[in-house]
Amino acid sequence: MKKSLLCLSLGLLVAGAVQAQTYVNEDFNSVSAPTLPSSWTSHPSGLWATGAPNSVCPNGMSLVGYDLSATGHEKVAGVNGNTNANNSVLTTPSFNLPSSASGVYLTFDLCYLGLQYTADASLHENLYLVYTTDGGSTWNNIQEIQANSNYLWEMHAIDVSSLAGTNNIELGFKYTNADTVLMGALLDNVKVAVAPSNEMALLAVTPQQGDANAYASVNSNITISGAVQNNGASAITSYTVYVQEGNNTPTSTQETANIAPFSTGTFSDVTYTVPSLGAHNLKVWVSLNGDADNSNDTATAYVEGVSFSPTKHLVFEEATGAWCGWCPRGAVGMKTMAQQYGSLAALISVHDNDAMAISSYDALITGLPGFTGFPTVVVDRTFLGDPGPQSIVDMYNQYKDNFGFAGVTMQQPSISGNSVSINVDVKPAVDIAGAKLALVVTENGVTGTGSGYEQHNYYAGGGSGVMGGYENLPSVITDEVFEFVARSITPSADGGASGLPSTMTAGNTYSATLTATLDPSWNQDSLKYVVMLIGQDGKILNSDFTGSSLGITNVDAGLKDAAIYPNPATQGLAHISVNAKQSTQAQLTITDMTGRVVYSGQTVNLNAGNNTVTVSTASLANGAYMVNLNTEKGNISLKLNVIK
C-alpha cells in the first residue's frame, strides 16, 4: 500500500481507548474566544488566543488567500503573524513526567506554512517546541516543528519521553517571524499521553454519495479507497480492510503497509462488486492486531449501480492571460495534453483581461471555490490544479475514469454564414435533475497586435527553468500564437436548459440544439466546438467535442486535423473527417484496445483537402476501439467508443 500524507478536512484525534497515562488533552472547544483554557499561558500575554481559525489568524486570508477553517477545527488556538508576535510562546498546563515514563508523545493538529512572503530568504516563519520548568523564566529547546507538507491542516507527533524524570513541565509552542508580517500558526487537539503500541483509525473512505467515482455498471467492480492513521508507537506493517452491505457476508482485503507511528497511509485496492441497480450503502472497517480501541475503525461508503457507464470526456478549462508571466507554463501543459489525450479530453483556454477575454466566462472560472491565481487549470469545474505539463497530465490520469453521468453526443456542426448550429443527444445513465448545456467555440492559431496579444514570459533566459522552449523566447513575446482560445460560450457561461426537461430519466435519450454566432474575424478552419453537460451544482457532468483539440496530425503521412464523430457512436455509424495534403489511398482498420484487429480490408480514396470517411460500427460490440487510417507514409489512429 502506498503511504502518503493527506490534507484532512477533519480534526485528527489520537483518541479512543483510555491510555495508560494522559498528561494534557485540550481541543479548545470549551472556552470563549479569545480566552485560553485554564492553566494555558501566552508569553507575552494576549498574543496567542482562541477562536475560529480565520479570526485568530486573519493573515492567512489576507496574505496568501487561504481559508484556514476546516471541519473539526471550528475553534482553535493560534497566533497571528504580525510583527509583535515574534518570539511569542503558547504553553500547556504544568505536569510531571515520572522517570519510568516511556513512549510519551505530544500530538497536535497544526496549520502552519513556514511562510516566506518577501524576497529576503532570512525573513520567514519558524515554529519551535520548547519547554520550561520555572514558569517561563528559562526556555529549553526540544526541536523545530516543520511546516506542513501538504496544504493546511496536518497532524504532528513528537516523542517527549526524553523529559522523563522532570517535574513542572510546561511544553511551549514558540513562534518567530523576524519581526516581519507573515501568516502565523494554529493548533488544535493538543495531547500529551503514553501512546499505545498498536492502534489505528479509519479516517475517511470514498466514494461518497455524489462523488464522480460512486457509480458502476451492475456486476462490475468499483474501487473503495480510504485513509488510515497510525495512532500507535509501533509501525504498522499489515492490516485488514472489510467491506459489508447490510447483513451480507463481509469481504476482506489484506493490506501490506509501512506506516510509521502517528503517520497516515492510504489503501486503494479494495473492490466491491455492484450487485444490482440503485444505491448501496457499505460499512467499511479496518482491523489491526493488538488494537484495543475499535471506536474509530469504521466508516461508510456509497456506490450506485447503473445500467451503463457513459464514456467520460473531461473538460480542462485553463485560466490564463497574455499579461501573466507564468502562464506559458499553462500553454505548454495544454499542448502536452493535446498531444497525449487530445481526442479524449476537451481543452479550453479561458483568457483574463487581455484581447481574447470573455468577461462572463472569465468571471465564472476565477470565481470557482479554491481559485487562487493564474495560471490554473480547472477540470470539470470541480478540481483545480497547476496546468504545468506534468501536473496537468497527472490530473487527467487521476480523473479520467470518473463517472460520466450521461452520454453526450454532438452531431456534425452545421455552419451557415456566421452561425453554427449543433444537434446534441443526451442519454443519462442515472436520473438527472436541473441539467444544462453550454456550447464553447474555441480557435487555434490565434495571433494579433497590441498589448492584449503580447505574452509576458517569466521563463525568458532560463532563470526559472526549462519550459517547452519559452526559456529561449523574450520576456515579452509580440508574435505569440495562442491555442484553444475560448471565443464564445452560449447560451451563457454556466449553460442553459436548451430544451432539456427539468428531470432526465435514466436510459432515455433527449435531444437539443445549440447555436452560436461566429465572428467573421475568426478562422473557421481553426475552430473547434465543445458541448458541456452541466449539473445543477455547476459542475460538468460530461462533454463531447469535435475531434482532437488541436486536430490529430501526422505530417509524414500527409494527414492532419483528423477527428471522429459522433463519439461515442450510438446509431451504427461513425464518420472520420481528415485533411489530406495530396490525393492518396489509405487502408481502414479497426482494433480493440488489446490490439486485436476486428475489421480490416477497406481501401479509402482521399482527395487533397478535406475528406469524410464513413465507418460502420453495427457489428462492433459496446466498448472502446482504435480506428486507423494507414497510408504508405504513415498512419493516424483515433479512439472510438461504441454504445448501442
Side-chain angles (χ1 to χ4, degrees), residues 230-462:
N230 183 357
N231 288 337
S234 300
I236 294 176
T237 57
S238 67
Y239 62 96
T240 305
V241 181
Y242 292 89
V243 179
Q244 182 183 35
E245 181 177 12
N247 295 320
N248 296 338
T249 302
T251 61
S252 63
T253 303
Q254 188 71 25
E255 296 290 335
T256 300
N258 183 19
I259 310 175
F262 303 103
S263 295
T264 56
T266 63
F267 60 85
S268 58
D269 56 353
V270 177
T271 59
Y272 172 75
T273 303
V274 181
S276 59
L277 294 173
H280 299 275
N281 293 290
L282 307 179
K283 176 184 176 182
V284 183
W285 70 95
V286 293
S287 177
L288 173 70
N289 289 336
D291 184 354
D293 175 20
N294 302 128
S295 65
N296 53 8
D297 294 346
T298 303
T300 58
Y302 174 93
V303 302
E304 187 167 335
V306 296
S307 58
F308 73 99
S309 293
T311 300
K312 179 63 175 176
H313 291 139
L314 296 169
V315 176
F316 286 73
E317 293 170 298
E318 176 209 16
T320 187
W323 54 269
C324 168
W326 295 115
C327 286
R329 184 168 73 252
V332 175
M334 293 284 278
K335 289 178 182 177
T336 301
M337 272 293 298
Q339 293 165 358
Q340 297 190 27
Y341 303 112
S343 62
L344 304 175
L347 305 179
I348 304 168
S349 290
V350 182
H351 281 252
D352 170 85
N353 199 33
D354 63 19
M356 295 158 283
I358 302 171
S359 59
S360 61
Y361 201 173
D362 176 36
L364 184 146
I365 296 300
T366 58
L368 290 173
F371 187 92
T372 57
F374 296 83
T376 293
V377 67
V378 182
V379 180
D380 281 353
R381 298 188 181 175
T382 305
F383 313 103
L384 286 77
D386 174 59
Q390 184 57 56
S391 56
I392 196 172
V393 169
D394 289 344
M395 291 182 72
Y396 172 81
N397 287 318
Q398 182 176 359
Y399 303 124
K400 63 183 175 64
D401 295 324
N402 283 356
F403 186 62
F405 292 95
V408 179
T409 305
M410 58 185 294
Q411 307 302 322
Q412 181 73 356
S414 175
I415 298 176
S416 176
N418 291 328
S419 178
V420 62
S421 176
I422 299 178
N423 295 324
V424 181
D425 291 330
V426 179
K427 184 179 182 180
V430 295
D431 293 349
I432 300 175
K436 298 178 287 186
L437 290 168
L439 170 62
V440 180
V441 180
T442 70
E443 184 180 6
N444 294 316
V446 176
T447 60
T449 58
S451 59
Y453 293 96
E454 293 178 348
Q455 179 63 63
H456 290 240
N457 176 26
Y458 293 161
Y459 294 94

Side-chain angles (χ1 to χ4, degrees), residues 14-354:
V14 186
V18 176
Q19 306 294 344
Q21 179 67 56
T22 298
Y23 301 95
V24 177
N25 192 5
E26 183 58 64
D27 62 8
F28 306 105
N29 289 334
S30 62
V31 295
S32 299
T35 306
L36 293 174
S38 176
S39 300
W40 286 73
T41 308
S42 173
H43 304 264
S45 177
L47 291 182
W48 285 79
T50 60
N54 291 331
S55 63
V56 173
C57 193
N59 285 2
M61 294 289 286
S62 62
L63 289 179
V64 291
Y66 285 134
D67 182 356
L68 309 179
S69 62
T71 302
H73 297 296
E74 287 80 9
K75 189 178 290 186
V76 301
V79 59
N80 198 35
N82 291 328
T83 56
N84 62 345
N86 191 35
N87 291 314
S88 60
V89 184
L90 173 70
T91 59
T92 68
S94 175
F95 62 94
N96 301 327
L97 203 58
S99 58
S100 60
S102 64
V104 181
Y105 281 83
L106 164 69
T107 60
F108 53 97
D109 295 340
L110 177 66
C111 178
Y112 164 65
L113 302 184
L115 186 65
Q116 174 193 324
Y117 197 68
T118 72
D120 187 344
S122 67
L123 303 179
H124 59 86
E125 296 176 307
N126 294 98
L127 190 65
Y128 302 92
L129 179 63
V130 298
Y131 76 96
T132 181
T133 58
D134 56 14
S137 298
T138 305
W139 297 101
N140 305 282
N141 187 60
I142 297 179
Q143 69 178 64
E144 183 175 355
I145 301 172
Q146 297 301 310
N148 289 1
S149 58
N150 269 336
Y151 306 105
L152 297 177
W153 284 98
E154 288 183 5
M155 181 184 182
H156 289 246
I158 299 175
D159 189 342
V160 294
S161 301
S162 61
L163 297 178
T166 306
N167 294 328
N168 302 318
I169 302 168
E170 295 176 60
L171 293 178
F173 298 89
K174 179 182 178 181
Y175 174 80
T176 68
N177 61 6
D179 293 318
T180 300
V181 176
L182 293 172
M183 179 175 164
L186 298 173
L187 297 166
D188 202 2
N189 302 318
V190 180
K191 189 171 186 179
V192 180
V194 176
S197 179
N198 299 295
E199 185 180 322
M200 75 182 304
L202 179 58
L203 302 175
V205 294
T206 59
Q208 297 294 318
Q209 188 169 5
D211 289 350
N213 58 347
Y215 305 86
S217 299
V218 174
N219 296 323
S220 67
N221 289 335
I222 195 168
T223 298
I224 308 296
S225 301
V228 295
Q229 173 81 38
N230 183 357
N231 288 337
S234 300
I236 294 176
T237 57
S238 67
Y239 62 96
T240 305
V241 181
Y242 292 89
V243 179
Q244 182 183 35
E245 181 177 12
N247 295 320
N248 296 338
T249 302
T251 61
S252 63
T253 303
Q254 188 71 25
E255 296 290 335
T256 300
N258 183 19
I259 310 175
F262 303 103
S263 295
T264 56
T266 63
F267 60 85
S268 58
D269 56 353
V270 177
T271 59
Y272 172 75
T273 303
V274 181
S276 59
L277 294 173
H280 299 275
N281 293 290
L282 307 179
K283 176 184 176 182
V284 183
W285 70 95
V286 293
S287 177
L288 173 70
N289 289 336
D291 184 354
D293 175 20
N294 302 128
S295 65
N296 53 8
D297 294 346
T298 303
T300 58
Y302 174 93
V303 302
E304 187 167 335
V306 296
S307 58
F308 73 99
S309 293
T311 300
K312 179 63 175 176
H313 291 139
L314 296 169
V315 176
F316 286 73
E317 293 170 298
E318 176 209 16
T320 187
W323 54 269
C324 168
W326 295 115
C327 286
R329 184 168 73 252
V332 175
M334 293 284 278
K335 289 178 182 177
T336 301
M337 272 293 298
Q339 293 165 358
Q340 297 190 27
Y341 303 112
S343 62
L344 304 175
L347 305 179
I348 304 168
S349 290
V350 182
H351 281 252
D352 170 85
N353 199 33
D354 63 19

Side-chain angles (χ1 to χ4, degrees), residues 529-576:
Y529 305 94
V530 180
V531 171
M532 304 184 295
L533 179 66
I534 303 170
Q536 60 183 351
D537 61 357
K539 298 178 180 179
I540 296 174
L541 304 177
N542 212 343
S543 73
D544 195 15
F545 49 94
T546 53
S548 165
S549 296
L550 277 180
I552 299 296
T553 299
N554 186 327
V555 176
D556 292 335
L559 305 177
K560 67 177 183 178
D561 296 334
I564 193 165
Y565 63 91
N567 195 1
T570 59
Q571 304 297 324
L573 291 175
H575 308 282
I576 302 172

